[in-house]
Amino acid sequence: MTAVRRTGYVYHEQYAWHDTGTQAGIIPPGGPVQPYRTFESPESKSRFAGLVEVSGLLDNLTRVRATHATEEQLLRIHSAEYIERLKASSALQGGDGGDGSTPFGAGSYDIARLAVGGTIAATTAVLDRRVDNAYALVRPPGHHALPDTGMGYCLLANVPIALENARRTHGVERVVIIDYDVHHGNGAQSIYWDDPNVLTISIHQERLFPVTGGDTTETGGPSAPGSCINIPLPAGSGNGAYIAAVERVVAPAARSFRPDLILISSGFDPSPLDPLAAMTVTSGGFRDIATRLVELATQVCGGRIVFSHEGGYSPVHVPFCGLAVLEAISGYNTGIEDPFGPSFDYSPALPLKPWQDEIITEAEHLAQMLSGYN
Ligand code: ZN
């Protein structure tokens, strides 16, 4: 039986009020394209929060209150020009974060500050030992955001800003950021490229978004060789490939790095039901990943681990994947089975394939070579 832990949980109704407007998923409507929703809509997140409550799990979590991140906190990562631009558009009818794929409506600047603040509050609760670990179910997501622009639905760099805050308030020095969202964690990679005290690890679908970068050969800047690890899995990868990546690359690299804290960019878009990707990680797969990450944190940094929500665009499947992760990190089992389980649990896509193993082996060898462990 798994030990029950005190797990902090952040959610705020305003996260669902961030308005991403009307698109055909990711395509602007017009001409032959009929208007539809933007894939990054409130649905998958608010339904996840709904299931956390209806399942009874909420009663066994510790609510952590999100507050707005201050401009001073944002400016530790973002440029003043970018923040001013966001603020000005948000005060009117909204706009775009900068890449044409990051739409936002009126008031989104404050909601994005609340998402950063949710990740900061969860991290602070863990560092203060008020909880053992935490999950911040925030929106908008943050892992593509860069210092001077939003990108890929992300407005502000939630995890890096929380990390910088932890450095100042709790003397945290070394941090590992692990990103299992199906898209490349280019934001943290770029921000910490030359910082030897932050190890960024991204497991993602090869060349999905951004379409360039995220390769195994990107290993960190001149002052920080080995501080970046990419595991770009081929489309079609499932539970087997993800677990192998965690066991053979993520865990040994994190052990060797000896962090004070682990931050997770938690995306559920490796789900087989996601409209933006082509992976096959089931709710059971996400549960296994989270279980291993919590064990890893126990081994390397006194259990200090914080999950910050990123992508995941299947409104019907994300709630069950998210519940599985929250059950894994809290040790509390609601007894609710994922009703989609039988559709995928026997899929031949789940076990590790040789062509997936090749990439993991390459990442494994590069990480070993650069960090000097075996
Ligand atoms: Zn994603």
Side-chain angles (χ1 to χ4, degrees):
M1 160 139 184
T2 322
V4 173
R5 303 179 196 89
R6 291 170 307 161
T7 291
Y9 172 72
V10 172
Y11 184 69
H12 195 294
E13 175 60 23
Q14 279 234 292
Y15 295 149
W17 296 17
H18 165 54
D19 181 5
T20 48
T22 302
Q23 298 184 77
I26 50 171
I27 309 294
V33 180
Q34 183 183 349
Y36 184 63
R37 291 177 186 173
T38 300
F39 282 139
E40 205 298 298
S41 78
E43 284 295 296
S44 60
K45 274 68 63 167
S46 58
R47 290 168 62 106
F48 175 11
L51 186 60
V52 171
E53 182 167 357
V54 170
S55 65
L57 184 57
L58 185 59
D59 302 329
N60 294 278
L61 302 174
T62 303
R63 284 302 289 263
V64 174
R65 187 168 159 263
T67 54
H68 292 89
T70 64
E71 204 167 299
E72 185 190 345
Q73 288 170 322
L74 307 186
L75 290 171
R76 288 174 189 150
I77 295 292
H78 294 287
S79 67
E81 294 74 21
Y82 175 53
I83 295 301
E84 286 309 315
R85 185 157 58 80
L86 266 187
K87 213 192 298 185
S89 306
S90 173
L92 301 170
Q93 79 282 12
D96 188 275
D99 67 340
S101 300
T102 312
F104 65 88
S108 279
Y109 171 65
D110 284 337
I111 302 174
R113 285 199 301 128
L114 196 61
V116 176
T119 304
I120 289 176
T123 306
T124 303
V126 168
L127 292 172
D128 284 345
R129 293 289 185 194
R130 279 182 279 129
V131 294
D132 297 315
N133 55 40
Y135 196 102
L137 175 47
V138 297
R139 178 173 179 267
H143 76 143
H144 296 306
L146 295 167
D148 56 2
T149 185
M151 184 176 179
Y153 299 145
C154 301
L155 288 174
L156 298 171
N158 301 333
V159 167
I161 299 168
L163 191 161
E164 293 309 317
N165 193 65
R167 280 179 155 169
R168 280 157 185 81
T169 58
H170 288 77
V172 165
E173 287 179 6
R174 292 170 70 77
V175 181
V176 178
I177 299 175
I178 302 164
D179 185 325
Y180 59 73
D181 185 283
V182 82
H183 303 100
H184 178 222
N186 64 298
Q189 169 171 320
S190 165
I191 290 162
Y192 294 111
W193 181 246
D194 213 16
D195 185 335
N197 288 317
V198 180
L199 171 63
T200 62
I201 308 177
S202 177
I203 310 173
H204 50 270
Q205 184 181 320
E206 182 184 22
R207 298 292 170 102
L208 181 60
F209 184 87
V211 290
T212 55
D215 299 327
T216 50
T217 48
E218 295 161 18
T219 53
S223 303
S227 70
C228 170
I229 298 174
N230 281 313
I231 311 166
L233 295 173
S237 299
N239 297 0
Y242 275 78
I243 297 302
V246 170
E247 285 188 341
R248 287 163 43 193
V249 187
V250 175
R255 278 191 214 106
S256 160
F257 192 79
R258 298 174 173 273
D260 304 311
L261 170 71
I262 295 178
L263 298 174
I264 306 293
S265 275
S266 170
F268 295 106
D269 35 17
S271 151
L273 284 173
D274 197 273
L276 280 176
M279 297 303 218
T280 310
V281 179
T282 65
S283 57
F286 286 110
R287 183 188 302 275
D288 288 348
I289 292 167
T291 300
R292 283 167 169 77
L293 293 177
V294 168
E295 280 170 13
L296 179 65
T298 306
Q299 291 165 13
V300 301
C301 55
R304 287 185 289 272
I305 185 167
V306 180
F307 293 69
S308 182
H309 195 84
E310 301 284 0
Y313 308 102
S314 166
V316 293
H317 198 214
V318 165
F320 293 98
C321 298
L323 191 74
V325 164
L326 271 175
E327 286 187 353
I329 71 174
S330 67
Y332 183 86
N333 195 339
T334 63
I336 290 178
E337 300 281 334
D338 174 2
F340 294 96
S343 309
F344 304 114
D345 285 348
Y346 303 99
S347 166
L350 296 190
L352 176 67
K353 303 291 187 297
W355 56 91
Q356 300 159 0
D357 185 74
E358 264 176 44
I359 300 292
I360 296 166
T361 302
E362 193 182 317
E364 195 179 0
H365 288 160
L366 266 171
Q368 279 174 356
M369 190 177 72
L370 287 160
S371 4
Y373 64 84
N374 285 302

